[in-house]
Amino acid sequence: MKETISFTLVLPSNLEFRELAIASLDWLIKTYANVNPDETYPGQLPPSWGLRETVSNAIEHGNKYNPNKKVTITFTFSEGKFIISVQDEGDGFVPEEVPDCIGESNILKEGGRGIAMMREIFGNVKFEDGGRRTILELTFAPIAIVA
């Protein structure tokens, strides 16, 4: 059985602190997946971009920069899979009501681009607790090297 590692960061609602979350994710990927976090999969955005967007949304839209509210980020790594939970203390939102910015008729509408980017990077993105918690899942499969 492989080791499971889990830890939690509790950050103030200030965008400057989100880089602590990014550094933690990069360290986990480098240490436990043995992959350069900026070169995770060729042609794709690095996972740090998706986490940065998620934490930014929690601070800006969830907590509305309220200095009395926190963002709680829990990182779990087990057997090639990262699960990241980002929880804010805001009012929440209904994910189904966020416009799909990918569709041609919605391309110029505001909103939804961050969620689309999260889904592009992580694949599996879930919203819980009335939209106050975002769960991001990233799996590292062995990459075959062809000589």
Side-chain angles (χ1 to χ4, degrees):
M1 184 169 161
K2 295 207 175 195
E3 178 183 11
T4 297
I5 184 168
S6 183
F7 64 93
T8 300
L9 295 174
V10 179
L11 304 177
S13 293
N14 182 323
L15 291 174
E16 292 178 17
F17 288 93
R18 70 184 168 188
E19 295 309 312
L20 290 172
I22 304 311
S24 298
L25 177 61
D26 287 349
W27 177 81
L28 278 170
I29 291 172
K30 197 178 297 181
T31 304
Y32 287 91
N34 199 26
V35 173
N36 180 335
D38 293 323
E39 299 173 3
T40 309
Y41 294 104
Q44 289 187 341
L45 296 173
S48 61
W49 288 29
L51 180 58
R52 185 175 284 111
E53 180 65 26
T54 306
V55 173
S56 296
N57 283 349
I59 292 169
E60 180 182 352
H61 302 297
N63 291 349
K64 300 185 183 350
Y65 299 102
N66 184 331
N68 298 316
K69 294 183 178 184
K70 306 291 183 211
V71 175
T72 302
I73 306 159
T74 301
F75 299 87
T76 304
F77 176 78
S78 182
E79 300 193 19
K81 182 186 289 187
F82 289 96
I83 298 175
I84 306 163
S85 169
V86 179
Q87 174 87 38
D88 65 54
E89 297 177 350
D91 296 330
F93 75 105
V94 179
E96 296 78 24
E97 292 179 2
V98 175
D100 174 16
C101 69
I102 305 300
E104 192 172 314
S105 62
N106 292 332
I107 200 76
L108 297 177
K109 288 186 179 176
E110 287 191 31
R113 285 174 185 73
I115 292 174
M117 182 174 64
M118 286 183 254
R119 287 191 169 124
E120 178 68 26
I121 293 170
F122 289 97
N124 192 6
V125 177
K126 294 184 274 187
F127 300 97
E128 298 177 348
D129 192 23
R132 286 178 287 276
R133 181 182 308 118
T134 304
I135 307 293
L136 308 169
E137 192 174 298
L138 184 64
T139 302
F140 285 92
I143 299 173
I145 299 174
V146 179

